[in-house]
């Protein structure tokens, strides 16, 4: 079945920075070593099935524009099964080794849960075959708990107990197929877990229900022997006015409050950080500080448009910052860089899907190489280390060790006098980073 969807597009090759061929990699050279790992093992790129294969490219003002000649436009299982082979041809041609999906992206929802499960199984059969044939793996799976009308007031946080039950049943199945496909992770994005108005909302109850669903999922994970990581994906708003998983710090607080730390890590998305009023590096550093960075949804927003525009990331400075945080933390374990991004409504031809992924893969390859060079140089980390060096001995060490309290610090200060404070050197550091870009 392969070679049918993109007959004119060859396997994308690395041709180097001087190439003028738009269908080539200029910087991403999968097997090139950066430090002790190849580029592909550092970056672990993944295709987001819902965007690459299912997004019709509609916006609030206009219908979908996407031309997808392999798709017959129907909601049939056969169409969904055919699409699997298109997805794998696409990933193979780009050298993408992972993909992510929601249950309802890959298979049509039926009239009953039983029918939906049967549809899903029929498509998962194909996914399993295609994975075996190509070696492409599942980075993470998830359940779509936000498109169907039943979820209009939330899934786990719906005021209606039967909707919670339905969500649990849907997550159970999605987790089982993720396990069957050897998925390395499972993501919980709280699609509509939030509120549109406080006039009708009991926050305490809703948030408790969300924790209950996650606890059931953790129990089921253990029961079926799924060893992948669980992720929670922060997003502050959209579609609801306020989403409970609003940012990395809110998610960590939620996990701690409900005894779920260690059971779930974070899947951070760049555009969601922007919507939360944070930089992506901030979100990554917050997650890393709590030992909870799991995976990344790599995309970008539009600074001038206030919604989740899910654009392909092409900002080299941003990619460099992300790679600095990632490398410093030791890199991905089971996570990866999932392109949770869609081509613009104006970019409606199949080849645009290639341009988009090529550009982002090259962007992160550059970010990776630059971040590696900064770390290898060492001046940046040395500066930060030096900045905190008063904590490594003397009074600083005694404070960190919990050996002293107010009394001792008062008498210490009486004899020590005015502390010596040094410049933060922000501009010097900004220049230092720029020297590598
Ligand atoms: C939407 C989210 C979604 C999750 C998976 O904004 O980013 O795509 O990644 O449910
Ligand atoms: Ni996402
Ligand atoms: Ni998003």
């Amino acid at each position: 079945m392969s070679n049918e969807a993109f007959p004119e597009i060859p396997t994308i090759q690395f041709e180097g920075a001087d190439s003028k061929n738009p269908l080539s990699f200029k910087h991403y050279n999968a097997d090139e070593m950066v430090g002790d790992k190849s580029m592909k093992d550092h970056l672990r790129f993944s295709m987001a099935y819902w965007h690459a294969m299912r997004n019709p490219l509609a916006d609030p003002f206009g219908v979908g524009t996407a031309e997808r000649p392999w798709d017959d436009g129907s909601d049939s299982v056969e169409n969904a099964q055919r699409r699997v082979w298109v997805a794998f041809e696409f990933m193979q041609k780009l050298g993408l080794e992972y993909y992510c999906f929601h249950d309802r992206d890959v298979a049509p929802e039926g009239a009953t849960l039983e029918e939906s499960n049967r549809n899903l199984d029929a498509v998962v059969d194909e996914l399993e075959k295609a994975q075996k044939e190509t070696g492409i793996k599942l980075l993470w799976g998830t359940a779509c708990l936000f498109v169907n009308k039943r979820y209009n007031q939330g899934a786990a946080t719906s005021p209606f107990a039967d909707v919670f039950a339905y969500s649990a049943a849907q997550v159970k199945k999605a987790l089982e197929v993720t396990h069957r496909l050897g998925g390395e992770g499972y993501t919980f994005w709280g699609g509509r877990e939030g509120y549109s108005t406080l006039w009708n909302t009991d926050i305490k109850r809703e948030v408790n229900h969300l924790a209950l669903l996650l606890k059931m999922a953790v129990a089921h994970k253990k029961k079926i022997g799924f060893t992948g990581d669980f992720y929670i994906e922060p997003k502050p708003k959209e579609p609801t006015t306020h989403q409970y998983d609003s940012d990395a710090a809110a998610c960590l607080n939620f996990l701690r409050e409900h005894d779920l730390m260690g059971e779930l890590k974070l899947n951070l998305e760049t555009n969601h950080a922007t919507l939360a009023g944070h930089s992506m590096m901030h979100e990554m550093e917050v997650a890393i500080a709590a030992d909870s960075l799991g995976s990344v949804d790599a995309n970008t927003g539009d600074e001038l448009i206030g919604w989740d525009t899910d654009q392909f990331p092409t900002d080299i400075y941003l990619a460099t910052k992300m790679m600095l945080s990632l490398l410093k933390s030791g890199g991905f374990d089971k996570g990866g860089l999932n392109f949770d991004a869609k081509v613009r409504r104006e970019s409606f031809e199949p080849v645009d899907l290639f341009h988009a992924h090529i550009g982002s893969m090259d962007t992160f390859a550059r970010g990776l190489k630059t971040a590696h060079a900064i770390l290898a140089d060492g001046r940046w980390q040395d500066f930060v280390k030096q900045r905190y060096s008063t904590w490594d001995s003397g009074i600083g060490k005694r404070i960190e060790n919990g050996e002293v309290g107010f009394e001792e610090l008062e008498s210490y200060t009486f004899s020590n006098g005015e502390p010596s404070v040094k410049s933060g050197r922000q501009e010097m550091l900004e220049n230092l980073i720029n020297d590598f870009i």
Side-chain angles (χ1 to χ4, degrees):
M1 266 250 25
S2 54
N3 287 333
E4 281 186 355
F6 311 99
E8 267 111 65
I9 298 173
T11 299
I12 308 301
Q13 308 285 353
F14 171 71
E15 293 184 5
D18 295 333
S19 170
K20 301 277 185 287
N21 174 10
L23 291 174
S24 74
F25 293 118
K26 315 290 189 320
H27 304 277
Y28 179 63
N29 186 9
D31 294 317
E32 185 181 320
M33 297 297 285
V34 177
D36 57 356
K37 271 197 272 186
S38 65
M39 280 195 189
K40 71 175 166 58
D41 290 343
H42 275 292
L43 297 164
R44 293 167 61 85
F45 289 133
S46 154
M47 180 198 82
Y49 207 101
W50 55 101
H51 281 312
M53 289 297 125
R54 300 309 312 276
N55 201 311
L57 309 182
D59 71 15
F61 302 96
V63 297
T65 57
E67 291 172 2
R68 304 291 180 250
W70 55 83
D71 203 297
D72 69 14
S74 79
D75 232 357
S76 72
V77 171
E78 293 69 37
N79 193 28
Q81 287 176 320
R82 258 198 314 277
R83 201 186 287 120
V84 166
W85 296 96
V86 176
F88 279 72
E89 180 192 337
F90 178 72
M91 290 187 274
Q92 265 194 314
K93 286 188 165 167
L94 277 162
L96 290 165
E97 294 198 327
Y98 291 92
Y99 70 108
C100 297
F101 70 84
H102 301 86
D103 48 3
R104 304 298 179 246
D105 311 323
V106 290
E109 177 146 19
T112 62
L113 185 62
E114 289 88 334
E115 192 188 334
S116 300
N117 288 353
R118 267 199 308 280
N119 292 350
L120 186 54
D121 284 333
V123 177
V124 168
D125 288 344
E126 295 303 301
L127 289 167
E128 198 173 40
K129 274 186 233 157
Q131 286 188 196
K132 279 216 180 86
E133 216 169 89
T134 61
I136 290 168
K137 291 166 279 191
L138 177 61
L139 189 70
W140 50 258
T142 186
C144 175
L145 303 178
F146 46 92
V147 168
N148 191 285
K149 187 177 171 193
R150 80 177 70 85
Y151 297 127
N152 71 76
Q153 290 165 64
T157 66
S158 170
F160 309 105
D162 285 352
V163 176
F164 180 101
Y166 206 109
S167 319
Q170 200 181 319
V171 170
K172 174 177 181 288
K173 180 69 182 174
L175 189 52
E176 287 165 3
V177 303
T178 299
H179 181 42
R180 179 181 156 197
L181 291 170
E184 299 189 21
Y186 184 93
T187 289
F188 295 87
W189 171 56
R192 292 182 191 271
E193 316 294 24
Y195 61 80
S196 288
T197 173
L198 284 171
W199 294 124
N200 62 13
T201 303
D202 182 338
I203 289 187
K204 187 175 170 68
R205 235 169 156 174
E206 293 202 358
V207 173
N208 279 337
H209 295 164
L210 184 57
L212 281 171
L213 186 106
L214 294 176
K215 286 185 178 168
M216 290 178 197
V218 168
H220 197 62
K221 167 187 173 167
K222 293 183 177 153
K223 181 167 175 214
I224 63 177
F226 178 65
T227 53
D229 280 344
F230 269 5
Y231 310 122
I232 186 166
E233 181 176 324
K235 183 172 182 177
K237 54 189 159 201
E238 192 200 73
T240 67
T241 306
H242 173 81
Q243 308 254 139
Y244 296 130
D245 304 328
S246 54
D247 63 4
C251 286
L252 291 168
N253 179 60
F254 165 81
L255 294 175
R256 276 192 201 99
E257 184 178 344
H258 296 278
D259 258 338
L260 283 161
M261 275 305 264
E263 300 290 0
L264 289 97
K265 296 178 182 168
L266 303 185
N267 178 38
L268 298 174
E269 177 167 321
T270 322
N271 201 168
H272 298 177
T274 310
L275 290 174
H278 300 310
S279 70
M280 183 59 168
M281 195 173 180
H282 165 90
E283 289 293 84
M284 290 181 70
E285 293 292 322
V286 167
I288 289 165
D291 216 4
S292 295
L293 178 66
S295 200
V296 166
D297 273 3
N299 62 14
T300 193
D302 186 314
E303 305 263 307
L304 306 177
I305 300 178
W307 74 75
D308 199 9
T309 56
D310 283 342
Q311 284 164 238
F312 277 85
T314 54
D315 183 335
I316 295 158
Y317 195 36
L318 172 65
T320 303
K321 290 180 190 169
M322 288 168 67
M323 287 300 109
L324 267 176
S325 290
L326 183 74
L327 290 182
K328 226 163 30 83
S329 78
F332 288 124
D333 177 16
K334 294 182 171 152
L337 286 172
N338 173 46
F339 292 121
D340 192 355
K342 62 186 177 201
V343 287
R344 298 301 84 198
R345 187 168 183 268
E346 298 85 342
S347 309
F348 47 78
E349 293 177 14
V351 69
D352 292 308
L353 292 168
F354 281 88
H355 292 308
H357 285 82
I358 290 169
S360 292
M361 290 163 83
D362 268 345
T363 299
F364 276 99
R366 290 174 86 169
L368 170 65
K369 284 192 276 188
T370 309
H372 177 74
I374 293 169
L375 294 176
D377 172 82
R379 279 176 290 163
W380 173 56
Q381 311 91 286
D382 285 351
F383 179 88
V384 178
K385 191 163 187 296
Q386 188 55 35
R387 186 163 182 244
Y388 291 89
S389 59
T390 58
W391 295 91
D392 297 336
S393 59
I395 194 68
K397 191 168 186 189
R398 297 185 62 212
I399 297 171
E400 278 197 350
N401 288 345
E403 290 164 15
V404 292
F406 275 6
E407 305 288 341
E408 292 87 347
L409 293 177
E410 184 186 51
S411 46
Y412 174 83
T413 302
F414 282 149
S415 67
N416 189 52
E418 195 54 33
S420 122
V421 173
K422 297 195 174 111
S423 166
R425 297 265 188 270
Q426 178 172 337
E427 296 78 4
M428 182 196 81
L429 291 167
E430 287 166 345
N431 299 348
L432 173 69
I433 298 294
N434 275 356
D435 283 345
F436 288 87
I437 291 182

